[in-house]
Amino acid sequence: MGILERRQRQKEEVKNDIICTAWQMVKKEGWQALSIRKIADAIEYSVPVIYDHFENKDAILLEFSKKGFMILSAKIIEAKDRYKEPEEQIKAMADAYWNFAMDNKEHYQLMFGIGMPCCEISKAMPEQEKFRSLVLQPIDDVIKKSGRTDINSCLKYHTFWSVMHGLISIKIIGNSAIDEELNKMVLDDAIAGFIKNLS
Amino acid sequence: MGILERRQRQKEEVKNDIICTAWQMVKKEGWQALSIRKIADAIEYSVPVIYDHFENKDAILLEFSKKGFMILSAKIIEAKDRYKEPEEQIKAMADAYWNFAMDNKEHYQLMFGIGMPCCEISKAMPEQEKFRSLVLQPIDDVIKKSGRTDINSCLKYHTFWSVMHGLISIKIIGNSAIDEELNKMVLDDAIAGFIKNLS
DNA sequence: TATGTTTCCTAACAGTGTTAGCAAATATAG
DNA sequence: CTATATTTGCTAACACTGTTAGGAAACATA
């Protein structure tokens, strides 16, 4: 008798409804605006029904995080398969990663836990120009020293910052999922490579 | 008459008390656990008093964010001033940045809006090994191709990811404080440099 | 001593995640 | 077809959250 199966189907329909509604909210107002009650209102069920499908609110957000990684994986595979030479593959994968992040900002934020209510970086960073020039100057020096004119120091400043921030935030988020020692080695390697590429 | 000045002093003492208490909470339980009521309880004042000193909760967190940037600036200047050669300066600045982040995780999280309740990256990333090997393989290929044996592909995998994530998250957080075009150029530059350093 | 200010609290508003307990609808067994 | 058991989905509450209106008490000034 297919009664149980129909019930199962209906139940999953509700779950799907929850996910869709929640996703619309996240897309429209950001992950901070997601609320169980608002979801319940939208799907026209009472609040506790949500908890029949998800253990808690975080579980819903985790769902999106997971989906994000799946989409990203797919995009990267797709990009890689378009090329044969590994150099091209790396470049294509990087582009795919970038495009994924730009096209799926909400996913990306959930995946990597980015974006607090308070902090727009520009508001928090005092004397932005001073900070910038501080880091920029030695970069500029190395470039000048090498006599090269095709290297943009402004570009390199951002590269520097990105490498630093990327490694650190992945370490902080990942909560030592990755070897402690390795992280410092990655930094040293990245900075060494960075300096090398300046001349 | 120093009455007004004493009052001013006392008022700033309370403000200082708020900051100190709030900071202890952030350090002990993370920025998500900070609550106006808990601060009020701790400083033995009623809730609205907090709002005589800060416009809202975010303003308190912003305070820490700002302080974080000040500490970071100081550390970077200090590191830079220890060396004369720009290459050494860059290396020292990178180390200082890294150490700052490790020693001040709470500050760093506030500064760059990292760390949501839900997402520990390891829980969200499905089939971690598959994802890893996907990116690792072309990196390995380039290294093999070059015939070099002194390059650790595992290291390079993390470097790749860091560069990607760093650039993207700064762009997302910074909310286009930085030129739109520039970001893609930085990525291209960083990836080109990355590939170059593999052989 | 009376007036005006500042300080500070109570209490509320409007929301949040989460759960206990109960009523109604449904499916199964006699 | 009725009686029992199960699932389903609700109301209402608990314990929080940020934020603010309004009033009472403490204070300094005239």
Side-chain angles (χ1 to χ4, degrees):
Chain A
M1 48 195 72
I3 289 171
L4 286 170
E5 281 141 34
R6 189 214 59 204
R7 279 202 172 172
Q8 192 58 35
R9 249 193 347 259
Q10 285 180 336
K11 192 157 189 171
E12 271 176 28
E13 218 167 81
V14 172
K15 178 166 182 170
N16 202 58
D17 223 17
I18 293 172
I19 292 176
C20 289
T21 307
W23 182 242
Q24 276 187 308
M25 285 177 180
V26 169
K27 261 210 321 197
K28 211 181 287 173
E29 311 174 76
W31 60 265
Q32 7 226 353
L34 188 70
S35 121
I36 301 284
R37 272 176 177 83
K38 278 194 270 182
I39 297 171
D41 272 10
I43 66 168
E44 293 175 301
Y45 273 91
S46 72
V47 167
V49 172
I50 312 271
Y51 289 87
D52 292 340
H53 300 275
F54 295 94
E55 204 188 332
N56 52 36
K57 188 186 168 181
D58 286 355
I60 300 174
L61 293 175
L62 193 68
E63 194 85 5
F64 299 136
S65 208
K66 281 182 185 163
K67 189 170 266 171
F69 275 108
M70 282 174 58
I71 298 172
L72 177 58
S73 285
K75 293 277 177 194
I76 286 185
I77 291 173
E78 195 189 299
K80 190 179 161 191
D81 288 348
R82 271 205 302 275
Y83 295 93
K84 269 203 75 185
E85 293 302 309
E87 290 90 346
E88 290 174 320
Q89 286 179 334
I90 294 173
K91 178 77 173 63
M93 276 166 23
D95 283 344
Y97 192 114
W98 171 269
N99 287 331
F100 166 78
M102 294 306 114
D103 297 343
N104 305 275
K105 285 204 178 70
E106 301 84 12
H107 271 128
Y108 199 89
Q109 287 185 47
L110 289 168
M111 290 159 72
F112 294 98
I114 292 173
M116 288 214 317
C118 87
C119 92
E120 285 193 31
I121 211 169
S122 46
K123 298 219 167 194
M125 192 151 88
E127 313 159 63
Q128 202 157 2
E129 266 315 308
K130 198 188 153 202
F131 191 90
R132 190 186 140 90
S133 65
L134 188 70
V135 180
L136 201 60
Q137 196 211 299
I139 292 174
D140 226 14
D141 287 345
V142 177
I143 298 173
K144 280 214 190 88
K145 215 167 148 184
S146 76
R148 289 184 64 164
T149 52
D150 60 326
I151 298 177
N152 183 343
S153 63
C154 180
L155 218 88
K156 293 295 182 181
Y157 163 74
H158 282 110
T159 306
F160 177 82
W161 199 5
S162 295
V163 174
M164 294 303 308
H165 175 65
L167 182 58
I168 287 165
S169 57
I170 283 174
K171 183 183 156 42
I172 289 177
I173 300 162
N175 222 25
S176 74
I178 298 164
D179 189 353
E180 277 289 320
E181 290 276 305
L182 185 62
N183 278 303
K184 189 59 173 48
M185 282 171 63
V186 174
L187 174 63
D188 289 340
D189 173 64
I191 293 300
F194 176 77
I195 294 174
K196 204 179 98 183
N197 277 331
L198 288 179
S199 47
Chain B
M1 46 198 77
I3 290 170
L4 286 169
E5 281 140 31
R6 189 214 57 203
R7 280 200 172 171
Q8 192 59 35
R9 246 187 357 254
Q10 285 179 335
K11 190 156 189 169
E12 269 174 29
E13 218 168 81
V14 172
K15 177 165 182 171
N16 201 57
D17 224 17
I18 294 172
I19 293 175
C20 289
T21 307
W23 182 242
Q24 276 186 307
M25 285 176 181
V26 169
K27 259 210 319 199
K28 209 180 290 174
E29 311 174 75
W31 60 264
Q32 9 228 350
L34 189 70
S35 121
I36 301 283
R37 272 178 178 82
K38 278 195 270 181
I39 297 171
D41 272 11
I43 65 169
E44 293 174 301
Y45 273 91
S46 72
V47 168
V49 172
I50 313 270
Y51 290 88
D52 292 340
H53 300 274
F54 295 94
E55 205 188 332
N56 53 35
K57 187 186 169 181
D58 286 356
I60 300 174
L61 294 175
L62 193 68
E63 194 84 4
F64 300 136
S65 208
K66 280 181 185 164
K67 188 171 267 170
F69 275 108
M70 282 173 60
I71 297 173
L72 177 59
S73 285
K75 293 277 177 194
I76 286 185
I77 290 173
E78 195 189 298
K80 191 177 159 192
D81 287 350
R82 271 206 302 276
Y83 295 93
K84 270 202 75 182
E85 293 302 309
E87 290 90 347
E88 290 173 319
Q89 287 179 333
I90 293 173
K91 178 76 173 65
M93 277 166 22
D95 283 343
Y97 193 114
W98 171 269
N99 287 330
F100 165 79
M102 294 305 115
D103 296 343
N104 305 275
K105 285 203 178 72
E106 302 82 14
H107 271 127
Y108 199 89
Q109 289 185 45
L110 288 167
M111 289 158 73
F112 294 98
I114 292 173
M116 287 214 317
C118 89
C119 92
E120 285 192 32
I121 210 169
S122 47
K123 297 219 169 195
M125 192 151 89
E127 312 159 63
Q128 202 158 1
E129 265 315 307
K130 198 187 151 203
F131 190 90
R132 190 186 141 88
S133 65
L134 187 71
V135 179
L136 201 60
Q137 195 211 299
I139 293 175
D140 225 14
D141 287 346
V142 176
I143 297 172
K144 279 213 192 89
K145 216 167 147 184
S146 74
R148 289 185 65 164
T149 54
D150 61 325
I151 297 176
N152 184 342
S153 62
C154 180
L155 219 89
K156 295 294 182 183
Y157 162 73
H158 283 111
T159 306
F160 177 81
W161 199 6
S162 295
V163 175
M164 294 304 306
H165 176 65
L167 182 58
I168 287 164
S169 57
I170 283 174
K171 184 184 154 43
I172 288 177
I173 301 162
N175 223 24
S176 75
I178 298 162
D179 189 352
E180 277 288 320
E181 290 276 306
L182 184 61
N183 278 303
K184 189 60 172 49
M185 282 172 63
V186 174
L187 174 63
D188 289 341
D189 172 64
I191 294 300
F194 175 77
I195 295 174
K196 205 178 97 184
N197 277 330
L198 289 180
S199 48

